[in-house]
Amino acid sequence: MLVGREMTVDEVVREVMRDKVFYDESGGGVTLSGGDPAVQHDFSRALLRRFKVEGLHTAIETAANLQWHILASLLPVTDLVMMDIKLVDSEKHRRATGSSNENILKNAVRLSKTGKPLIIRVPVIPGVNDMADEIAAIAKFVQGFPNLWYLELLPFHRLGEGKYEALGLKYAASSLTAPTKEKMKELADAAGKFGVKVRGY
Amino acid sequence: MLGLGMAEEQAELSFDQRLAALRETKLRQTREKQEALRVMDQDDHGRIMPPKELQDLTEYMGPSGEMVRDAKLNNFKPKSNHPSSGFFGAKACGENFRLFLEAHPVYIDPMSSMAGGYMAYFMGYRNPGWPPELDYPSLAEEQRKYGIYAGIGAPQHFCQDMVIGFELGWGGLLKKIQRYRKVNPKSADFYDGLEQVIIGTRDWMRRHVEAARRMAAEEKNPTLRRNLLEMAEINERLLTKPPRTFREACQWSVWYQMIARMYNGSGSMGAVDVWLKPLYDWESAAGTLSDEEAIFHLACLLLNDTQYFQLGGPDAEGRDTTNRLSFLVLEAVHRLKAPANIGVRVFDGLDPELLKRSVEIMFEDKTGFPKFLGDKGLVEGFARNGYSVKLARERIYSGCHWFAIPGREYTLNDCVKINFATVFDVAFWDMMNNTKIKPSVDELWRSFERHLHRAVEVTKEGLDFQMKHMHEVFPELVLDLLCYGTIEKGLDATNGGLEYYNLCIDGSGLATVADSFAAAEQRVEKEKRLTWSQLAESMKNDYKDAENMRLMLSSIPRYGRGGTRADEWAVRVVQAFVRFAKEKPTPAGFNIIPGLFSWASMISMGQTVGATPNGRHAGAPISHGASPDPGFLRGGNAPTAMAVAVASVQCGYGNTAPLQLDMDPGLASGEEGLAKVEALIRGHFELGGTMINMNVVDRKQVLEAHKDPSKYPNLIVRVTGFSAYFASLSKNLRQLVVDRILAEET
């Protein structure tokens, strides 16, 4: 391994439980993010189960581009799901990410029927989805989800650039700049028209 | 003088305008200090430079190992009463202090509502500071061996009760002395000393009264003329009478805090929102004092000196003392944006608004103010000494990292330290040089325990020596005035005048030792990557040509990360320390309370310690108090990890092991961020933590300021228990602050 270290479920739990008092004081909990915790779902499931036993609030961040039964198997030990939707249009999605969004959207609809608290997050990327109609399309898609807490717009940032540089990789997004506050406001307004609660910057 | 045009000269001035002018003056005075004194490795006191023609510049070695300058008044020469040319004892100290005050110039800023400003430190004239015949060579040798700061000759570091002064005034105090002089004729020398302090103070005040009248006669601005006349009237009254208004109480406190600071450096004031409350309540109910005016007087009080204050917290019965005044004090410091030493005492019953506002101000002002105090750990701990919970709640924050019961307890806090790293150094070489034993971690621990035990005993013996002689050397004449029992019994606070004696011993360099044990255990014993003699050889050569070995040793999982062997060693070291401190009182019977703190002495303490197995070079600074070494955790959530680690090494008897946190300003953006910081504070205290010193630093700015401090004369950082102007610190101390920040960045 280049970086990081391998850990067992026990080790992670021990590490996390050291800070339990701070979760209690802040009303916080544990979020498995990634990458995508659904990729190592056996480990994630075991870990989340242990957290539930310890009485912690649990959340996962996922792109949901996987077989439903895997995602479904994490839900009994998950209190909150945060899921990405980048675009509704399948063709544009393919062009931007290299794969279709068909499965993602299907999983989103399935998640909407589980009753599990859900946050839909949209990374706002210049030239890809920073247009009012693209964001509106996402808002329209999720507006009927009964378990939706809110739609969150996350502005593109360049924090990863240094990491690419350190690894000697080309930073493909080097020409992009973060969307302005005004832009984000405009997009949030576009989504808000569909009666969806929007959080953004 | 004010740089005002003719028209403005005649205009009334608002409190805001006057405060802005006072802030400007403070910055100019700080620059003057920085230029004249260069380095100030301590709190930024309110002290101002004497006029050039009275300045006498001297140099001495500061705590961070750099030469420090002091400016003395050249128109005062103390009178000796001893062959050593020093002066000792109550009468001589009191008389010399009176002469010192006679030589001290008058200072009035017409913008301020408070008269007075102090320019020199009386104790700097004590030479020698200790009479040569009271020598303690055998004690001194062992104290040196174990890196002990023995506290012999150390003054103040406990807290008076301001309420006594507010009730009696200078006139009432004089009468009290005269009354008890008859009861205790044997203490005549002591009473003479106390009287001299009051006589000198009143004379100094009287000169301010005259100066204020003279200045008023020439003052064109109506607001300032009125202010100067009121100032004269108030101070004339205060020469004998106790204060009866809020402004008078602040003015009385200003005189008291100045003489306390000048006499022997005391900066303890205690629960300001409690002792000022009756007059504030009375005046605001009567409609004679607006909150704006109260804030202004408080700001003037705070500008006069950086004293230690507590806000909020339980009274003896457990009810929150937070009141309107607590918020006004916060607001005064917020508007000043100058260094201040104020602690907010956090407990379950605390008005949540006070904590919230404190955290907001901390992130907005970035001056390391206020700090946070963990009531639960403090009260439960102090009660463990056999005291009631009620009494424990009355132990108030009044110094860098410490607490005292106002007017009733002598503590010698923050003056007595054992350098764990030195003890480890001695223990390690004792084991290696003993040919009869085979080196091992067990042997090393046994050796460490034995030497630590002896170090604590020697420290206790030193404390008895201090308690036996301090009163005949340099008694606490200013603090004695406002204590219960001193005047009544005719005894100095160091000589049995008070009710409670709980002497402090702090341990320093915990992480250095814990990591050293863990490094030797892992690399030598478990992994057998090197032998004991190879380790010893490299340490002897300060890791010369052994950089790989040094890095291997320093790269073990270190104290602070949580769940590591080093974390366990840290707890074990503290438990042993506490056991030795508490197993019995000093031979003369004084109770000891252990804590962990190194003030700003990490540099000087490290200079005498050889290379250590954690990869630390010989002479390098030791770790700070209870803190993990900077860089103990790469990535990860350092603030919570540190909060857990430091909570796990609390000594548990009511003295502190502070958590030192440097936070990025971005961390607390918005309500949510602030709530997280609050949760961090509450969480640490829930775990038993006793104190949090938080620094909100803009890293870029500090790094730039380190390159050229003169560019950022106003940048304030929390160094340790105190905040100071970054540009005033020595290069060594600035480097430590910068290292801490850089380490947390990765």
Side-chain angles (χ1 to χ4, degrees):
Chain A
M1 269 203 312
L2 265 179
V3 288
R5 63 198 159 109
E6 287 189 21
M7 291 174 85
T8 64
V9 168
D10 274 345
E11 283 169 340
V12 178
V13 170
R14 220 177 302 137
E15 184 93 34
V16 166
M17 290 311 289
R18 259 197 290 278
D19 287 346
K20 175 148 196 315
V21 65
F22 303 111
Y23 313 137
D24 295 346
E25 290 291 343
S26 64
V30 183
T31 302
L32 301 191
S33 79
D36 194 325
V39 172
Q40 298 179 56
H41 52 88
D42 286 336
F43 185 84
S44 297
R45 199 178 305 108
L47 199 52
L48 290 166
R49 184 171 298 129
R50 287 286 299 280
F51 290 148
K52 285 322 294 173
V53 171
E54 300 287 353
L56 297 185
H57 182 274
T58 57
I60 56 171
E61 262 184 356
T62 175
N65 195 4
L66 69 169
Q67 290 174 289
W68 170 247
H69 73 89
I70 292 174
L71 194 51
S73 74
L74 295 176
L75 293 182
V77 283
T78 301
D79 297 312
L80 168 68
V81 179
M82 291 175 247
M83 166 186 174
D84 272 16
I85 296 181
K86 296 176 188 75
L87 286 160
V88 173
D89 185 287
S90 186
E91 188 43 41
K92 283 183 191 158
H93 194 273
R94 192 192 305 280
R95 257 182 280 145
T97 70
S99 74
S100 151
N101 63 0
E102 210 171 307
N103 190 37
I104 295 171
L105 297 181
K106 261 189 204 158
N107 281 341
V109 172
R110 286 170 177 142
L111 275 172
S112 76
K113 290 171 184 160
T114 60
K116 199 57 83 179
L118 179 65
I119 298 170
I120 300 288
R121 314 177 86 179
V122 184
V124 177
I125 301 156
V128 176
N129 62 355
D130 63 339
M131 308 90 174
D133 53 344
E134 296 297 350
I135 301 299
I138 296 171
K140 185 164 178 248
F141 182 78
V142 302
Q143 66 176 335
F145 290 7
N147 55 341
L148 181 73
W149 274 12
Y150 53 81
L151 184 71
E152 186 167 24
L153 303 182
L154 304 166
F156 165 80
H157 59 69
R158 301 175 61 133
L159 296 180
E161 193 168 359
K163 256 184 220 170
Y164 276 78
E165 215 169 83
L167 290 168
L169 296 175
K170 196 172 171 294
Y171 189 61
S174 63
S175 62
L176 300 185
T177 51
T180 61
K181 271 192 182 144
E182 295 72 37
K183 183 80 188 164
M184 293 303 290
K185 171 93 178 48
E186 178 201 328
L187 299 180
D189 288 346
K193 286 194 184 118
F194 290 85
V196 175
K197 195 168 151 201
V198 184
R199 276 177 67 164
Y201 295 83
Chain B
M1 180 208 246
L2 303 167
L4 301 174
M6 276 300 280
E8 288 97 345
E9 263 184 12
Q10 303 298 329
E12 293 282 352
L13 293 169
S14 69
F15 289 127
D16 278 349
Q17 284 170 309
R18 288 166 68 185
L19 200 56
L22 286 165
R23 249 194 334 256
E24 279 300 306
T25 307
K26 162 83 179 166
L27 289 177
R28 180 172 51 74
Q29 288 167 343
T30 304
R31 273 196 300 275
E32 280 168 16
K33 270 199 284 189
Q34 285 166 351
E35 277 160 25
L37 306 178
R38 294 191 302 217
V39 165
M40 291 175 278
D41 279 348
Q42 52 180 359
D43 317 37
D44 176 75
H45 292 170
R47 178 268 175 95
I48 47 187
M49 293 302 291
K52 279 252 159 49
E53 66 275 14
L54 292 184
Q55 278 181 21
D56 185 4
L57 290 174
T58 53
E59 285 200 332
Y60 65 95
M61 181 65 75
S64 61
E66 270 184 52
M67 292 307 284
V68 180
R69 278 190 186 174
D70 187 25
K72 289 184 183 167
L73 296 172
N74 61 16
N75 58 341
F76 165 66
K77 294 276 174 292
K79 280 190 193 156
S80 171
N81 68 342
H82 191 269
S84 66
S85 79
F87 59 91
F88 306 103
K91 191 172 176 186
C93 289
E95 276 177 358
N96 273 311
F97 190 54
R98 178 178 61 76
L99 293 172
F100 168 85
L101 288 174
E102 274 175 16
H104 195 292
V106 164
Y107 179 84
I108 294 176
D109 185 332
M111 290 288 179
S112 175
S113 58
M114 300 293 132
Y118 69 96
M119 303 179 180
Y121 300 103
F122 171 69
M123 56 179 172
Y125 295 88
R126 295 172 59 239
N127 188 22
W130 195 259
E133 72 270 18
L134 291 181
D135 202 7
Y136 45 97
S138 59
L139 268 177
E141 195 188 321
E142 270 190 292
Q143 286 165 352
R144 245 192 321 276
K145 176 179 173 187
Y146 292 123
I148 293 166
Y149 286 21
I152 295 174
Q156 43 105 4
H157 294 92
F158 63 107
C159 187
Q160 75 293 328
D161 190 346
M162 291 302 289
V163 171
I164 297 178
F166 288 176
E167 276 170 10
L168 298 178
W170 299 116
L173 284 167
L174 266 185
K175 272 191 206 132
K176 184 174 171 187
I177 292 168
Q178 280 151 10
R179 193 171 130 220
Y180 283 101
R181 185 189 273 283
K182 290 183 199 126
V183 180
N184 308 300
K186 280 190 189 148
S187 299
D189 190 80
F190 176 60
Y191 290 122
D192 285 346
L194 295 177
E195 265 177 11
Q196 290 291 309
V197 169
I198 297 178
I199 292 166
T201 305
R202 294 212 305 195
D203 171 68
W204 190 37
M205 286 170 65
R206 191 175 293 119
R207 283 187 286 133
H208 283 77
V209 174
E210 290 157 10
R213 291 228 164 90
R214 268 199 312 275
M215 287 168 77
E218 285 164 25
E219 181 58 61
K220 298 221 167 47
N221 182 282
T223 311
L224 302 185
R225 191 168 53 238
R226 209 165 48 242
N227 179 49
L228 287 164
L229 287 173
E230 283 166 7
M231 191 185 274
E233 193 187 320
I234 285 171
N235 281 295
E236 191 156 48
R237 212 182 155 271
L238 290 181
L239 288 173
T240 51
K241 302 271 191 317
R244 45 168 196 184
T245 65
F246 187 76
R247 178 174 176 183
E248 286 181 6
C250 289
Q251 176 72 74
W252 204 91
S253 307
V254 162
W255 293 118
Y256 185 81
Q257 72 183 14
M258 286 194 292
I259 60 167
R261 181 72 89 190
M262 288 193 292
Y263 179 71
N264 65 3
S266 179
S268 311
M269 293 300 271
V272 61
D273 56 353
V274 173
W275 44 255
L276 275 179
K277 185 173 183 290
L279 284 173
Y280 169 78
D281 284 351
W282 179 76
E283 270 211 83
S284 49
T288 54
L289 177 74
S290 69
D291 278 358
E292 279 303 302
E293 186 183 345
I295 290 171
F296 181 72
H297 296 322
L298 288 168
C300 293
L301 168 69
L302 289 158
L303 261 180
N304 176 259
D305 202 7
T306 46
Q307 302 284 353
Y308 289 84
F309 291 109
Q310 170 175 304
L311 295 181
D315 64 8
E317 307 302 323
R319 291 170 304 226
D320 188 16
T321 57
T322 304
N323 62 73
R324 179 86 193 134
L325 198 50
S326 321
F327 291 90
L328 300 190
V329 175
L330 271 186
E331 185 60 29
V333 186
H334 178 49
R335 292 191 194 175
L336 276 177
K337 306 221 177 4
N341 291 310
I342 291 182
V344 173
R345 186 151 177 160
V346 181
F347 76 120
D348 286 344
L350 183 74
D351 183 342
E353 279 305 311
L354 188 69
L355 179 58
K356 188 162 174 251
R357 185 71 189 127
S358 304
V359 175
E360 272 172 15
I361 286 178
M362 156 149 293
F363 277 83
E364 196 183 323
D365 294 358
K366 305 181 190 66
T367 58
F369 152 87
K371 59 163 63 185
F372 302 97
L373 318 167
D375 182 73
K376 178 172 168 262
L378 293 165
V379 168
E380 284 175 6
F382 191 65
R384 223 166 266 142
N385 292 283
Y387 295 117
S388 72
V389 166
K390 278 188 185 180
L391 192 67
R393 288 178 182 137
E394 291 183 71
R395 215 171 183 243
I396 301 294
Y397 176 64
S398 32
C400 229
H401 78 311
W402 55 266
F403 295 72
I405 306 165
R408 296 159 72 192
E409 186 192 18
Y410 182 76
T411 49
L412 204 60
N413 282 316
D414 207 5
C415 299
V416 184
K417 313 222 176 288
I418 296 176
N419 186 347
F420 289 160
T422 311
V423 175
F424 181 91
D425 204 26
V426 171
F428 182 88
W429 292 107
D430 192 15
M431 172 184 81
M432 291 310 295
N433 295 333
N434 186 342
T435 48
K436 277 183 226 142
I437 55 170
K438 201 167 147 263
S440 70
V441 171
D442 278 348
E443 286 294 347
L444 182 57
W445 173 253
R446 267 195 288 280
S447 176
F448 178 78
E449 242 188 349
R450 193 172 66 246
H451 286 290
L452 182 62
H453 196 177
R454 183 59 202 146
V456 172
E457 279 179 351
V458 173
T459 310
K460 287 178 183 175
E461 289 162 23
L463 284 167
D464 281 350
F465 191 80
Q466 154 87 352
M467 299 308 290
K468 191 168 168 204
H469 296 296
M470 188 63 182
H471 70 280
E472 54 196 52
V473 177
F474 187 37
E476 298 288 345
L477 296 181
V478 176
L479 293 176
D480 280 340
L481 290 173
L482 305 191
C483 284
Y484 301 93
T486 40
I487 297 177
E488 291 87 337
K489 291 187 233 169
L491 295 174
D492 178 43
T494 66
N495 190 30
L498 304 187
E499 201 173 341
Y500 302 106
Y501 286 79
N502 297 298
L503 307 181
C504 151
I505 301 183
D506 286 326
S508 302
L510 176 64
T512 303
V513 172
D515 292 345
S516 290
F517 269 110
E521 181 180 55
Q522 182 173 335
R523 300 306 193 204
V524 182
E525 227 162 75
K526 268 196 207 137
E527 298 169 357
K528 306 205 187 318
R529 304 267 287 268
L530 69 166
T531 64
W532 283 101
S533 51
Q534 282 170 329
L535 173 64
E537 200 55 31
S538 304
M539 281 164 57
K540 209 179 277 171
N541 298 328
D542 195 17
Y543 296 108
K544 192 168 176 291
D545 303 322
E547 184 60 10
N548 281 347
M549 185 193 290
R550 197 184 71 80
L551 289 174
M552 177 176 78
L553 289 161
S554 69
S555 66
I556 56 135
R558 287 194 266 170
Y559 161 60
R561 191 159 124 183
T564 68
R565 280 297 289 157
D567 286 283
E568 289 167 25
W569 279 112
V571 171
R572 198 171 176 193
V573 168
V574 171
Q575 282 173 349
F577 171 57
V578 172
R579 196 167 70 242
F580 301 144
K582 296 305 295 181
E583 67 180 359
K584 51 181 189 242
T586 71
F590 294 109
N591 182 40
I592 295 293
I593 304 189
L596 299 175
F597 196 54
S598 37
W599 196 66
S601 307
M602 300 86 75
I603 299 169
S604 61
M605 282 185 155
Q607 277 165 350
T608 55
V609 181
T612 37
N614 64 335
R616 178 190 145 281
H617 279 296
I622 56 164
S623 61
H624 178 237
S627 298
D629 249 345
F632 70 97
L633 186 67
R634 300 222 154 244
N637 200 357
T640 54
M642 276 180 78
V644 174
V646 173
S648 75
V649 295
Q650 294 295 317
C651 296
Y653 284 86
N655 279 6
T656 67
L659 168 64
Q660 173 80 38
L661 286 176
D662 298 296
M663 311 276 261
D664 191 89
L667 202 83
S669 57
E671 289 272 314
E672 223 170 287
L674 291 170
K676 275 186 197 143
V677 175
E678 265 187 66
L680 181 68
I681 294 168
R682 287 192 186 279
H684 179 62
F685 293 155
E686 193 50 44
L687 294 172
T690 42
M691 180 179 290
I692 302 177
N693 293 321
M694 224 186 268
N695 217 4
V696 179
V697 279
D698 188 331
R699 300 187 155 126
K700 234 169 99 189
Q701 200 183 30
V702 171
L703 295 181
E704 276 170 28
H706 189 44
K707 275 187 225 146
D708 183 4
S710 64
K711 271 193 200 154
Y712 296 88
N714 312 339
L715 177 66
I716 297 168
V717 294
R718 180 160 281 286
V719 183
T720 160
F722 63 84
S723 289
Y725 286 106
F726 190 70
S728 301
L729 301 173
S730 65
K731 193 153 189 286
N732 285 342
L733 208 54
R734 287 205 309 267
Q735 187 66 49
L736 281 195
V737 173
V738 167
D739 287 349
R740 213 165 64 197
I741 291 165
L742 283 178
E744 280 161 29
E745 206 169 31
T746 46

